[in-house]
Amino acid sequence: MKNSSISISFPRTRMRRTRMRKFSLDLVQETRLSTSDLIYPLFVIEGHNKKEEIKSMPNIFRKSSDLLLKDVENCIQLGIKAIAIFPYISKKLKDDSGSESINPDNLICNTVRKIKKEFPDIGIICDVALDPYTTHGHDGLIINEQVDNDKTIDLLEKQSLNQAISGCDIIAPSDMMDGRVGKIRDFLDKNNYINVQIMSYAAKFSSSFYYPFREAIGSNYIGDKIDKSSYQINPGNSNESIRGVSMDISEGADMIIVKPGMNYLDIIYRIKNTYEFPTFAYQVSGEYAMLEHAFQKKILKKSKTLIETLLCFKRAGADGILTYFACEAAKEIIKLK
Ligand code: PBG
């Protein structure tokens, strides 16, 4: 309540009064989830009619694009408006400089074209970073044993433009190089892709909760040795994320992502309050794995727990959520109506 001089005291005030009946519980609910809040991340592999299990993410599969089309159709039917696609690149196409990332006919670009042809209205988000394409698994080019900021950006610009040309709606740089949002924006504009949006991973923490994702995109053979702390944010910092987000907004980002989600609700809250800018939470692979394992063992009840995790992201200030549970959550939301 805005006026803290109002005294609220028992028995005139009974907090439980509105909680007693379902109708009034619903009437006073402050935050709500809708299927259009959800973004569904998908993993794509080369081939036809191929479906591979991701062991650390039960129930999530890498699929060839023909099978992926069915998932996209399912999403649309459930009221989900956007997907994020990530490639699993075969080892023989990986090299030190991630050169496959700038191939205009790579797996991601071809997949975007296929999806757009069938479903022109779905929003497609493509990650921009080199990690699926490099043998070392880092998001950037390694020069003199360091991830080189500026030389990496030259590649990211090309990767972004190729994705835009293939029909991607939103470019999502997840690489965390400094200055890449501005450079990508200028490069897209120079090439007349002025309306392709940028959803920047602006507050991306150097987190252990990404490990299952690394299995999903096939950089797990580098294991948990890979250390991204020279470019992702230290989980102990909050002010630093505020500075990083201000840079990305001033460079032309249209939306920003906070990642991971569950342990970083304070960051979502602070960023939303500071900038009043479109802010998205990413419920990442490790969060998915923890929850799904507990659901499968019946330690937690899926339907309610899942909705609670997503609702809390919105309460903290997120406008939407990237989640591997998007389809199941959408079914639940439709049921709740
Ligand atoms: C790669 C990227 C990562 C994720 C999204 N893009 C992993 C990383 O930075 O190591 C993580 C997503 C997840 O864990 O679900 N730049």
Side-chain angles (χ1 to χ4, degrees), residues 234-268:
N234 177 346
N237 293 352
S238 172
N239 294 335
E240 193 178 315
S241 72
I242 295 288
R243 277 204 296 149
V245 171
S246 72
M247 267 177 78
D248 285 8
I249 294 176
S250 69
E251 288 175 25
D254 301 288
M255 309 171 202
I256 57 123
I257 300 180
V258 177
K259 179 179 172 205
M262 199 134 126
N263 297 329
Y264 295 82
L265 293 180
D266 59 320
I267 305 288
I268 297 172

XYZ file of all heavy atoms in Angstrom, residues 234-268:
259
model
N 29.539 -12.532 -12.848
C 29.758 -13.236 -11.579
C 28.428 -13.319 -10.811
O 27.796 -12.291 -10.545
C 30.804 -12.434 -10.803
C 31.099 -13.004 -9.431
O 30.360 -13.857 -8.922
N 32.171 -12.523 -8.836
N 27.983 -14.527 -10.435
C 26.703 -14.657 -9.720
C 26.625 -13.854 -8.419
O 25.539 -13.628 -7.888
C 26.606 -16.156 -9.420
C 27.452 -16.807 -10.451
C 28.577 -15.850 -10.743
N 27.742 -13.407 -7.923
C 27.722 -12.596 -6.706
C 27.431 -11.126 -6.954
O 27.358 -10.341 -6.000
N 27.258 -10.743 -8.217
C 27.112 -9.307 -8.521
C 25.709 -8.938 -8.990
O 25.068 -9.696 -9.702
C 28.114 -8.904 -9.595
C 29.542 -8.995 -9.096
O 29.760 -9.209 -7.901
N 30.493 -8.843 -9.981
N 25.288 -7.747 -8.572
C 23.993 -7.237 -9.001
C 24.171 -5.894 -9.727
O 23.655 -5.696 -10.828
C 23.092 -7.085 -7.765
O 21.907 -6.444 -8.081
N 24.943 -4.990 -9.134
C 25.176 -3.682 -9.775
C 25.753 -3.851 -11.173
O 25.406 -3.109 -12.101
C 26.170 -2.847 -8.953
C 25.602 -2.475 -7.596
O 24.380 -2.418 -7.425
N 26.467 -2.230 -6.636
N 26.627 -4.831 -11.309
C 27.280 -5.047 -12.596
C 26.255 -5.397 -13.682
O 26.401 -4.984 -14.835
C 28.297 -6.173 -12.432
C 29.253 -6.300 -13.590
C 30.271 -7.419 -13.348
O 30.822 -7.511 -12.229
O 30.500 -8.195 -14.288
N 25.207 -6.137 -13.289
C 24.198 -6.485 -14.294
C 23.411 -5.243 -14.715
O 23.012 -5.106 -15.868
C 23.258 -7.579 -13.778
O 22.382 -7.091 -12.794
N 23.218 -4.321 -13.762
C 22.508 -3.083 -14.078
C 23.305 -2.267 -15.117
O 22.758 -1.749 -16.092
C 22.298 -2.240 -12.784
C 21.363 -2.988 -11.828
C 21.803 -0.839 -13.066
C 19.922 -3.027 -12.261
N 24.628 -2.211 -14.920
C 25.468 -1.477 -15.879
C 25.438 -2.134 -17.249
O 25.350 -1.474 -18.277
C 26.910 -1.432 -15.374
C 27.142 -0.324 -14.371
C 28.606 0.055 -14.342
N 29.417 -1.065 -13.883
C 30.665 -1.312 -14.268
N 31.270 -0.524 -15.125
N 31.317 -2.350 -13.794
N 25.519 -3.461 -17.255
C 25.517 -4.191 -18.532
C 24.212 -3.989 -19.295
O 24.214 -3.791 -20.512
N 23.111 -4.015 -18.571
C 21.808 -3.831 -19.226
C 21.715 -2.413 -19.798
O 21.229 -2.212 -20.918
C 20.644 -4.112 -18.247
C 19.315 -3.717 -18.855
C 20.627 -5.586 -17.852
N 22.220 -1.428 -19.072
C 22.132 -0.052 -19.582
C 22.920 0.079 -20.882
O 22.489 0.756 -21.818
C 22.605 0.973 -18.538
O 24.000 0.907 -18.389
N 24.048 -0.619 -20.966
C 24.821 -0.579 -22.220
C 24.017 -1.150 -23.374
O 23.918 -0.552 -24.442
C 26.087 -1.439 -22.069
C 27.292 -0.661 -21.624
S 28.693 -1.772 -21.397
C 29.240 -2.060 -23.078
N 23.417 -2.331 -23.140
C 22.690 -2.979 -24.234
C 21.472 -2.176 -24.670
O 21.168 -2.091 -25.858
C 22.268 -4.410 -23.823
C 23.450 -5.371 -23.831
O 24.593 -4.888 -23.994
O 23.246 -6.584 -23.668
N 20.798 -1.556 -23.702
C 19.632 -0.736 -24.077
C 20.106 0.467 -24.896
O 19.536 0.791 -25.942
C 18.840 -0.286 -22.825
C 18.200 -1.511 -22.135
C 17.768 0.736 -23.207
C 17.472 -1.197 -20.830
N 21.175 1.099 -24.458
C 21.632 2.292 -25.188
C 22.173 1.922 -26.565
O 22.169 2.752 -27.480
C 22.671 3.070 -24.378
O 23.856 2.316 -24.308
N 22.592 0.671 -26.738
C 23.091 0.249 -28.053
C 21.979 -0.209 -28.993
O 22.255 -0.587 -30.133
C 24.109 -0.891 -27.877
C 25.435 -0.402 -27.284
C 26.408 -1.545 -26.993
O 26.302 -2.603 -27.632
O 27.261 -1.354 -26.119
N 20.737 -0.239 -28.490
C 19.635 -0.546 -29.403
C 18.904 -1.854 -29.165
O 18.135 -2.283 -30.027
N 19.128 -2.504 -28.016
C 18.362 -3.723 -27.738
C 16.880 -3.372 -27.624
O 16.526 -2.288 -27.145
C 18.840 -4.370 -26.440
N 16.007 -4.283 -28.092
C 14.550 -4.058 -27.988
C 13.980 -4.723 -26.755
O 12.919 -4.340 -26.259
C 13.855 -4.636 -29.224
C 14.384 -4.000 -30.496
O 14.069 -2.829 -30.728
O 15.139 -4.665 -31.225
N 14.646 -5.778 -26.305
C 14.206 -6.551 -25.139
C 15.465 -7.115 -24.500
O 16.478 -7.284 -25.186
C 13.349 -7.741 -25.552
C 12.211 -7.421 -26.479
S 11.504 -8.988 -27.041
C 10.706 -8.445 -28.515
N 15.364 -7.423 -23.229
C 16.533 -8.038 -22.595
C 16.144 -9.312 -21.835
O 14.993 -9.492 -21.442
C 17.271 -7.060 -21.659
C 16.339 -6.514 -20.593
C 17.904 -5.910 -22.408
C 16.853 -6.803 -19.255
N 17.151 -10.171 -21.650
C 16.932 -11.441 -20.939
C 17.766 -11.469 -19.660
O 18.918 -11.019 -19.661
C 17.353 -12.645 -21.812
C 16.548 -12.693 -23.111
C 17.214 -13.962 -21.047
C 16.920 -13.859 -24.036
N 17.154 -11.979 -18.606
C 17.891 -12.296 -17.377
C 17.996 -13.813 -17.312
O 17.009 -14.530 -17.473
C 17.171 -11.774 -16.120
C 17.935 -12.198 -14.857
C 17.016 -10.266 -16.175
N 19.197 -14.317 -17.012
C 19.439 -15.757 -17.131
C 20.554 -16.193 -16.195
O 21.573 -15.517 -16.173
C 19.839 -15.993 -18.586
C 20.149 -17.382 -18.945
C 20.490 -17.402 -20.405
C 20.993 -18.789 -20.709
N 21.841 -18.807 -21.836
N 20.418 -17.277 -15.445
C 19.243 -18.110 -15.243
C 18.071 -17.342 -14.618
O 18.162 -16.134 -14.407
C 19.736 -19.195 -14.278
C 21.219 -19.175 -14.342
C 21.568 -17.755 -14.653
N 17.011 -18.101 -14.296
C 15.814 -17.447 -13.800
C 15.635 -17.534 -12.300
O 15.732 -16.552 -11.573
N 15.392 -18.754 -11.829
C 14.909 -18.954 -10.464
C 15.799 -18.332 -9.384
O 15.293 -17.775 -8.423
C 14.783 -20.454 -10.205
C 13.899 -20.805 -9.063
S 12.838 -22.116 -9.603
C 13.040 -23.355 -8.436
N 17.116 -18.449 -9.533
C 17.992 -17.896 -8.500
C 18.256 -16.418 -8.692
O 19.032 -15.831 -7.934
C 19.324 -18.639 -8.479
C 19.154 -20.095 -8.118
O 18.244 -20.436 -7.368
N 19.990 -20.940 -8.649
N 17.658 -15.821 -9.696
C 18.005 -14.450 -10.067
C 16.777 -13.533 -10.098
O 16.757 -12.542 -10.817
C 18.749 -14.466 -11.423
C 20.083 -15.181 -11.305
C 20.152 -16.568 -11.364
C 21.264 -14.481 -11.061
C 21.362 -17.242 -11.203
C 22.482 -15.140 -10.913
C 22.517 -16.523 -10.983
O 23.715 -17.174 -10.822
N 15.772 -13.866 -9.281
C 14.542 -13.054 -9.274
C 14.821 -11.629 -8.798
O 14.155 -10.683 -9.228
C 13.478 -13.699 -8.376
C 12.899 -15.043 -8.837
C 11.854 -15.535 -7.842
C 12.300 -14.956 -10.223
N 15.800 -11.475 -7.904
C 16.153 -10.123 -7.445
C 16.675 -9.277 -8.604
O 16.429 -8.068 -8.670
C 17.203 -10.195 -6.322
C 18.479 -10.901 -6.757
O 18.381 -11.920 -7.487
O 19.583 -10.429 -6.402
N 17.379 -9.932 -9.523
C 17.937 -9.205 -10.678
C 16.784 -8.780 -11.605
O 16.741 -7.642 -12.080
C 18.939 -10.094 -11.455
C 20.035 -10.620 -10.528
C 19.510 -9.358 -12.655
C 21.054 -9.625 -10.071
N 15.850 -9.694 -11.827
C 14.690 -9.359 -12.680
C 13.958 -8.166 -12.078
O 13.644 -7.183 -12.763
C 13.708 -10.558 -12.787
C 14.384 -11.750 -13.464
C 12.432 -10.166 -13.535
C 13.557 -13.036 -13.436
